[in-house]
Amino acid sequence: EIVLTQSPGTLSLSPGERATLSCRASQSVSSSYLAWYQQKPGQAPRLLIYDASGRATGIPDRFSGSGSGTDFTLTISRLEPEDFAVYYCHQYGSSPQTFGQGTKVEIK
Amino acid sequence: QVQLVQSGAEVKKPGASVKVSCKASGYTFDSYYMHWVRQAPGQGLEWMGIINPSGGSPYYAQRLQGRVTMTRDTSTSTVYMELSSLRSEDTAVYYCARWVTGTTVGFDYWGQGTLVTVSS
């Protein structure tokens, strides 16, 4: 199975700053079938990005995804207070589907 | 509007089984695959398997093979996930999640989660 490793584990930033989250796969992700989810405490995850760079319906354009093969990035251009949460990458190109362990974006 | 409403929290003893339901509404039930994903306390997400509400065999994560069964009832637009031979490591929040394809791809709607606690 494909192992997804996210870094850093925790990102401490201030509102208005830029956040760059990394997701590295143990083998190439087929057709860039990689998504990003945001999860806040006590809530289900929320789809942000699909196919590595597609923005899901209703997601603000400050969220962007990039990458291919084994290296993927989620960028939040300017952090809003509601963006402080945990972010997971998810590959769906190979079975079983797998998730990264998450990156927590916290207020500095 | 699309809703996935799951059954309530469960407390089970090791070795027992649990069955969690997920009732869908607001869309055509058999047009979207449903997945189950779990999350142990303070941990990440783990994909468990997929079921096609219109029929066919479910597909399970290999590490859960033999212990997990996913079924559906089209008359009530409900999918079920049953996990047997429960262990403490199965303590988690269990989510059903609808898989969408087309203009967006991914889990676009999630149930509210069902906490299953395995404890003697």
Side-chain angles (χ1 to χ4, degrees):
Chain A
E1 74 177 46
I2 295 178
V3 176
L4 299 178
T5 302
Q6 293 185 238
S7 61
T10 302
L11 202 48
S12 298
L13 295 168
S14 300
E17 290 194 293
R18 182 184 187 90
T20 302
L21 288 66
S22 173
C23 176
R24 179 161 291 178
S26 60
Q27 52 190 285
S28 185
V29 176
S30 173
S31 302
S32 295
Y33 286 153
L34 187 116
W36 291 90
Y37 291 83
Q38 175 194 69
Q39 188 178 35
K40 297 179 180 179
Q43 297 183 15
R46 173 193 180 199
L47 177 64
L48 300 174
I49 300 290
Y50 66 94
D51 291 353
S53 60
R55 202 175 296 116
T57 304
I59 301 304
D61 60 8
R62 64 179 181 274
F63 290 93
S64 63
S66 63
S68 63
T70 60
D71 288 294
F72 299 87
T73 300
L74 174 70
T75 301
I76 310 171
S77 58
R78 288 174 50 87
L79 282 164
E80 297 287 341
E82 62 268 26
D83 299 337
F84 292 91
V86 178
Y87 293 83
Y88 294 96
C89 57
H90 165 230
Q91 70 81 22
Y92 46 97
S94 302
S95 193
Q97 299 188 17
T98 50
F99 291 88
Q101 82 282 12
T103 290
K104 182 179 182 179
V105 179
E106 65 176 22
I107 299 176
K108 186 174 181 179
Chain B
Q1 73 282 22
V2 174
Q3 280 194 300
L4 302 176
V5 179
Q6 298 183 219
S7 48
E10 303 262 15
V11 179
K12 296 291 184 180
K13 293 194 181 305
S17 297
V18 68
K19 191 170 186 178
V20 179
S21 66
C22 169
K23 182 173 177 58
S25 61
Y27 70 97
T28 303
F29 176 67
D30 58 5
S31 294
Y32 297 83
Y33 284 67
M34 198 75 79
H35 296 240
W36 288 89
V37 175
R38 70 179 180 177
Q39 186 170 36
Q43 302 300 309
L45 302 165
E46 179 186 6
W47 181 78
M48 299 179 67
I50 177 175
I51 183 167
N52 180 356
S54 64
S57 298
Y59 182 80
Y60 307 130
Q62 189 167 15
R63 67 189 300 263
L64 295 173
Q65 283 277 0
R67 291 205 301 135
V68 67
T69 304
M70 296 177 186
T71 56
R72 94 278 191 224
D73 181 344
T74 55
S75 68
T76 59
S77 300
T78 302
V79 295
Y80 299 91
M81 187 285 301
E82 184 170 19
L83 190 61
S84 62
S85 303
L86 289 168
R87 314 158 182 163
S88 58
E89 311 89 85
D90 295 317
T91 293
V93 175
Y94 289 75
Y95 293 102
C96 57
R98 188 181 84 159
W99 183 259
V100 67
T101 59
T103 53
T104 293
V105 180
F107 299 125
D108 64 341
Y109 285 93
W110 297 66
Q112 82 276 18
T114 296
L115 175 61
V116 175
T117 303
V118 183
S119 174
S120 54

